[in-house]
């Protein structure tokens, strides 16, 4: 009887692929275990954060419809050279909901207090979406403690050309908050957030993974969480006043702006040129708002290179 070479080859190939999958899964699990999940009390507010690595400090600030979980893919890369800290913004994720101060300036002060409590004297600060607004407020309030600043795809309230974005009728969600919207969204958080993750992406099939979507829906569906997150949108008028004042003193640290071509493009970069003296702008082609998820390699390579 002739040996079934084709069957043997298929079995051998399948065994190799299975072994490779197990190795990859074990490696990913090992990397995940190196990321510690911790909480610190900051002036009576419990702030949750992820951390890993040693070296110069990088602070990663997530945006709306996400939590610190969005940064997990880049942790293994950054932790090779840096001490990485990724907080959940106050009121979002596993950070407590404060009684007041759910705005960019106050959030930045709380994140700064967290950094100081962790022994951080200088940091490189990265922010996406509303997280970039908190990052800018951090750099503007504590410029001598901010070594570099990265802002990713949104805008700065109070800085020239911001009204066109804020008042764009297609961007309805900035003013969608209050008791009635809260009642409408309750129990339908997955439908509500699907608008962000699908419609604000260049290609909804290259947007957020299912596991991440489920995690974020669970986080924001908890009592009081949607209201707390919406408070950041509600704070835009006050943030505009705060930022207009901050913008009078230009940032001098290196600033890196990343935009999505299918989102706001270089609008943020042009704003940053008005508030900072050393700005590098990158616009990723065929990319929407979810830069980290839509273009993970390009985004992470650019961040690692700049930081």
């Amino acid at each position: 009887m002739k040996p079934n070479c084709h069957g043997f080859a298929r079995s051998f190939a399948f065994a190799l692929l299975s072994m490779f999958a197990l190795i990859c899964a074990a490696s990913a699990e090992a990397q995940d275990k190196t990321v510690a999940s911790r909480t610190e009390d900051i002036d009576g507010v419990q702030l949750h954060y992820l951390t890993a690595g040693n070296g110069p400090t990088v602070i990663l600030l997530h945006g709306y419809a996400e939590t610190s979980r969005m940064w997990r893919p880049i942790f293994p890369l950054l932790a090779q050279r840096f001490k990485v800290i990724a907080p959940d913004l106050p009121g979002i994720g596993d950070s407590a909901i404060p009684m007041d101060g759910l705005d960019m300036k106050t959030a930045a002060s709380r994140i700064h207090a967290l950094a100081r409590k962790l022994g951080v004297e200088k940091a490189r600060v990265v922010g996406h979406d509303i997280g970039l607004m908190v990052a800018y407020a951090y750099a503007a309030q504590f410029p001598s403690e901010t070594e570099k600043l990265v802002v990713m795809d949104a805008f700065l309230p109070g800085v020239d050309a911001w009204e066109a974005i804020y008042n764009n009728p297609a961007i309805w969600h900035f003013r969608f908050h209050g008791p009635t919207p809260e009642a409408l969204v309750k129990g339908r958080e997955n439908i509500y957030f699907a608008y962000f993750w699908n419609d604000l992406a260049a290609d909804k099939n290259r947007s957020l993974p299912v596991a991440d979507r489920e995690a974020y829906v669970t986080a924001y569906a908890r009592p009081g969480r949607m209201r707390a997150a919406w408070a950041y949108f509600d704070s835009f008028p006050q943030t505009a006043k705060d930022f207009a004042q901050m913008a009078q003193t230009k940032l001098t640290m290196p600033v890196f702006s990343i935009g999505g071509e299918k989102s706001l493009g270089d609008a943020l970069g042009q704003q940053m040129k008005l508030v900072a003296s050393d700005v590098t702008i990158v616009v990723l082609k065929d990319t929407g708002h979810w830069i980290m998820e839509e273009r993970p390699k390009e985004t992470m390579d650019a961040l690692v290179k700049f930081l």
Side-chain angles (χ1 to χ4, degrees):
M1 180 182 294
K2 292 182 179 180
N4 187 349
C5 295
H6 292 295
F8 174 78
R10 283 196 298 269
S11 299
F12 182 69
F14 179 76
L16 282 177
L17 287 172
S18 299
M19 184 179 297
F20 180 72
L22 288 172
I23 292 172
C24 289
S27 175
E29 184 179 356
Q31 288 178 343
D32 194 61
K33 286 180 178 178
T34 65
V35 179
S37 175
R38 296 174 181 164
T39 303
E40 291 287 346
D41 184 285
I42 304 300
D43 296 328
V45 178
Q46 297 292 315
L47 291 187
H48 170 260
Y49 64 99
L50 304 176
T51 187
N54 292 288
T57 300
V58 173
I59 298 175
L60 305 172
L61 302 175
H62 68 85
Y64 181 69
E66 296 187 300
T67 67
S68 58
R69 177 188 176 98
M70 72 163 283
W71 301 111
R72 278 189 174 271
I74 201 173
F75 257 82
L77 293 175
L78 292 180
Q80 296 175 23
R81 296 169 45 202
F82 301 103
K83 176 180 181 179
V84 188
I85 301 170
D88 285 333
L89 294 180
I92 298 179
D94 289 326
S95 287
I97 302 174
M99 295 296 293
D100 55 20
L102 285 170
D103 61 85
M104 314 309 172
K105 184 178 178 180
T106 307
S109 295
R110 286 179 169 135
I111 298 300
H112 174 258
L114 170 66
R116 294 309 299 258
K117 190 167 185 177
L118 297 178
V120 176
E121 296 183 358
K122 293 182 181 292
R124 302 163 194 203
V125 186
V126 181
H128 174 249
D129 190 74
I130 61 170
L132 81 80
M133 302 176 194
V134 178
Y136 171 70
Y138 188 112
Q141 292 181 96
F142 313 104
S144 64
E145 300 177 46
T146 308
E147 295 178 308
K148 295 181 180 180
L149 174 65
V150 180
V151 291
M152 299 168 57
D153 206 78
F155 66 102
L156 294 179
V159 177
D160 189 52
W162 80 281
E163 295 96 338
I165 301 171
Y166 181 62
N167 293 323
N168 184 342
I171 309 178
W172 52 269
H173 56 271
F174 289 156
R175 293 177 172 85
F176 187 78
H177 50 77
T180 299
E182 190 173 350
L184 290 171
V185 170
K186 185 177 176 61
R188 305 177 184 88
E189 291 86 0
N190 60 328
I191 299 174
Y192 168 70
F193 280 127
Y195 154 73
F196 294 91
W197 299 325
N198 295 343
D199 291 14
L200 301 186
D203 178 355
K204 67 179 181 181
N205 296 315
R206 225 171 5 95
S207 182
L208 276 66
V210 172
D212 287 352
R213 293 175 182 232
E214 292 175 349
Y216 297 143
V217 165
T218 298
Y220 281 81
R222 290 157 54 198
R225 294 289 164 167
M226 195 68 75
R227 189 183 314 163
W230 282 344
Y232 286 98
F233 290 154
D234 195 27
S235 78
F236 277 7
Q238 180 58 49
T239 295
K241 296 177 183 178
D242 294 336
F243 284 8
Q245 179 67 33
M246 293 176 184
Q248 294 181 21
T249 302
K250 277 199 169 188
L251 302 178
T252 58
M253 77 286 294
V255 175
F256 187 36
S257 173
I258 311 178
E261 181 190 37
K262 302 296 185 181
S263 183
L264 295 177
D266 71 343
L268 176 62
Q270 296 306 316
Q271 282 190 311
M272 293 311 301
K273 284 186 174 182
L274 299 176
V275 303
S277 57
D278 181 3
V279 181
T280 301
I281 302 172
V282 168
V283 176
L284 298 177
K285 293 183 178 181
D286 299 320
T287 306
H289 180 62
W290 309 103
I291 291 174
M292 272 287 294
E293 293 81 8
E294 295 181 60
R295 295 287 178 186
K297 185 180 186 307
E298 294 89 335
T299 303
M300 290 191 283
D301 286 350
L303 286 174
V304 170
K305 182 179 179 181
F306 176 76
L307 294 171

